[in-house]
């Protein structure tokens, strides 16, 4: 079984991006800039943002974090986004989720200009992705996609099952696999026989949030299994896939932690660089 080492793949991707940033600097005499807006002091968000900033600096991006207390007015955030939209030195804007209740998440997402939407959440980017046009793609499914392609470069005709249909993970993942000519089944909480669906799959991507939902006897021999789930349990962090059982049948599997997570941040940097390149065209 191939253990898909997300830390190693993310380090390789960051190395490639670092090289690319250096070439862009030579060509344009400037580097892509990422601005992250962080509202409130929730510990997980603080950690994510710190990691994002550290990785951005590592590859040579210009990065900035703008912090607000969780009492900040919605208008202040929307005005700041507009200001960043109009700032040519900023290539990517990310507002760290979740937001305090009094701030309308959809309004925030739709205020970020699509060309700087490094999270790929703007409806224009969602539409472009589903139409098969160039767009920013949400970072977690993009990372999953790159890992799958490392294991199997030609996905044409493969049967893929995506477990979970969130806008963040399941839906964009489905679009990426469709674009690669997979036959994709997207499953969710009302799916009648999830085990039977999974057993058909050459590729399974699980993004649910239920510890070890996907069992060993749900997986076809030699399937590629990507585990997006991060679940805190008494036994520490576990994914949505029963790792020990599934590792006995799968061809390749991501661990939790150390699988999808590290690739997510690397893909944010990739999205920032891609936004910069599109803006120079
Ligand atoms: P979400 O928005 O809560 O969506 C979960 C999806 O799972 C929903 O579509 C839901 O179906 C489906 N589901 C729930 N119970 C199910 C069941 N018994 N069988 C089949 N499907 C079921 O979750 P998310 O934001 O996509 O996150 C999923 C997991 O990924 C979480 O553990 C999260 O922490 C993790 N995550 C990891 C990363 C990373 O970087 N590694 C990034 C983001 C999220 P319905 O639509 O029918 O309700």
């Amino acid at each position: 079984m191939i253990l898909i080492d997300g830390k190693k793949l993310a380090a390789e991707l960051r190395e490639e991006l670092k090289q690319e940033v250096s070439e862009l600097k030579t060509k344009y005499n400037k580097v892509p800039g990422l601005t992250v807006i962080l509202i409130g002091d929730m510990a997980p968000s603080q950690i994510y943002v710190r990691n994002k900033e550290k990785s951005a600096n590592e590859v040579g991006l210009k990065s900035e974090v703008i912090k607000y207390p969780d009492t900040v007015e919605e208008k202040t955030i929307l005005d700041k986004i507009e200001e960043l939209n109009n700032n040519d030195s900023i290539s990517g804007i990310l507002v760290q989720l979740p937001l305090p209740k009094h701030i309308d998440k959809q309004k925030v997402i739709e205020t970020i200009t699509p060309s700087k939407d490094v999270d790929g959440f703007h409806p224009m980017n969602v539409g472009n992705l589903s139409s098969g046009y160039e767009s920013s793609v949400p970072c977690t499914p993009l990372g999953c996609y790159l890992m799958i392609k490392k294991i199997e470069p030609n996905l044409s005709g493969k049967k893929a099952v995506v477990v979970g249909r969130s806008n963040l993970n399941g839906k964009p993942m489905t679009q990426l696999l469709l674009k690669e000519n997979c036959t994709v089944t997207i499953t969710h909480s009302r799916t009648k026989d999830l085990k039977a669906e999974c057993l058909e799959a050459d590729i399974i991507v699980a993004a649910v949030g239920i510890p070890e939902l996907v069992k060993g006897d749900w997986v076809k021999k030699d399937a590629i299994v990507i585990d997006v789930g991060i679940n805190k349990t008494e036994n520490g962090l576990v994914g949505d896939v029963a790792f020990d059982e599934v590792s006995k049948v799968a061809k390749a599997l991501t661990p939790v932690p150390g699988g999808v997570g590290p690739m997510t941040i690397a893909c944010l940097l990739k999205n920032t660089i891609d936004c910069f390149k599109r803006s120079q065209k």
Side-chain angles (χ1 to χ4, degrees):
M1 204 267 311
I2 302 167
L3 184 70
I4 307 175
D5 185 343
K7 274 191 193 163
K8 183 163 163 272
L9 292 176
E12 286 170 10
L13 179 55
R14 282 198 304 273
E15 205 42 55
E16 282 169 30
L17 297 174
K18 192 173 173 181
Q19 181 63 32
E20 201 172 356
V21 171
S22 145
E23 286 165 14
L24 291 170
K25 192 174 176 183
T26 309
K27 188 166 176 191
Y28 297 107
N29 201 25
K30 56 183 175 181
V31 294
L34 171 67
T35 296
V36 176
I37 295 180
L38 175 62
I39 304 168
D41 53 9
M42 273 176 52
S45 295
Q46 302 258 5
I47 295 167
Y48 289 143
V49 168
R50 213 176 306 133
N51 288 339
K52 285 169 184 174
E53 196 181 18
K54 187 171 154 258
S55 302
N57 289 331
E58 204 182 300
V59 304
L61 299 182
K62 190 162 75 75
S63 92
E64 175 193 27
V65 179
I66 304 176
K67 293 184 181 174
Y68 292 97
D70 55 13
T71 50
V72 66
E73 281 184 32
E74 182 183 272
K75 187 175 181 315
T76 307
I77 300 300
L78 300 181
D79 288 349
K80 177 50 85 178
I81 294 172
E82 288 294 2
E83 185 193 313
L84 296 168
N85 284 343
N86 294 319
N87 181 340
D88 282 346
S89 72
I90 306 296
S91 328
I93 304 166
L94 181 151
V95 180
Q96 182 65 45
L97 302 178
L99 299 175
K101 285 203 175 61
H102 66 281
I103 298 180
D104 182 338
K105 180 175 98 175
Q106 201 54 24
K107 225 189 241 179
V108 166
I109 288 173
E110 291 183 22
T111 303
I112 299 173
T113 192
S115 60
K116 297 189 181 188
D117 166 35
V118 281
D119 258 340
F121 295 159
H122 192 287
M124 179 95 88
N125 280 318
V126 176
N128 278 339
L129 176 64
S130 70
S131 305
Y133 301 139
E134 200 171 53
S135 67
S136 284
V137 177
C139 303
T140 302
L142 179 59
C144 296
Y145 165 80
L146 294 176
M147 291 196 287
I148 296 168
K149 289 281 282 182
K150 280 273 177 195
I151 301 295
E152 181 58 70
N154 182 6
L155 300 176
S156 185
K158 301 279 181 204
K159 177 124 178 47
V161 170
V162 177
V163 191
R165 56 174 163 181
S166 69
N167 291 337
L168 179 66
N169 290 308
K171 284 181 192 153
M173 190 70 238
T174 300
Q175 297 299 345
L176 288 169
L177 291 166
L178 262 183
K179 234 174 151 177
E180 288 290 321
N181 301 315
C182 289
T183 303
V184 192
T185 302
I186 183 158
T187 62
H188 45 78
S189 67
R190 319 295 160 82
T191 297
K192 289 266 187 268
D193 189 346
L194 189 57
K195 176 180 175 181
E197 298 294 346
C198 287
L199 271 170
E200 295 283 313
D202 302 308
I203 299 158
I204 298 175
V205 181
V208 184
I210 299 181
E212 303 184 327
L213 175 73
V214 176
K215 308 282 186 277
D217 63 354
W218 291 27
V219 176
K220 195 164 86 173
K221 190 170 175 332
D222 288 339
I224 298 171
V225 182
I226 305 292
D227 189 352
V228 180
I230 302 176
N231 307 293
K232 271 191 192 153
T233 70
E234 286 172 355
N235 304 321
L237 278 190
V238 299
D240 291 343
V241 174
F243 184 89
D244 291 344
E245 293 176 15
V246 172
S247 63
K248 294 193 176 91
V249 272
K251 171 174 159 185
L253 172 63
T254 56
V256 177
V260 173
M263 279 299 276
T264 296
I265 294 188
C267 285
L268 169 67
L269 311 179
K270 176 173 164 45
N271 278 350
T272 306
I273 294 166
D274 288 346
C275 284
F276 174 87
K277 288 196 295 191
R278 285 197 286 271
S279 74
Q280 301 303 314
K281 274 184 189 166

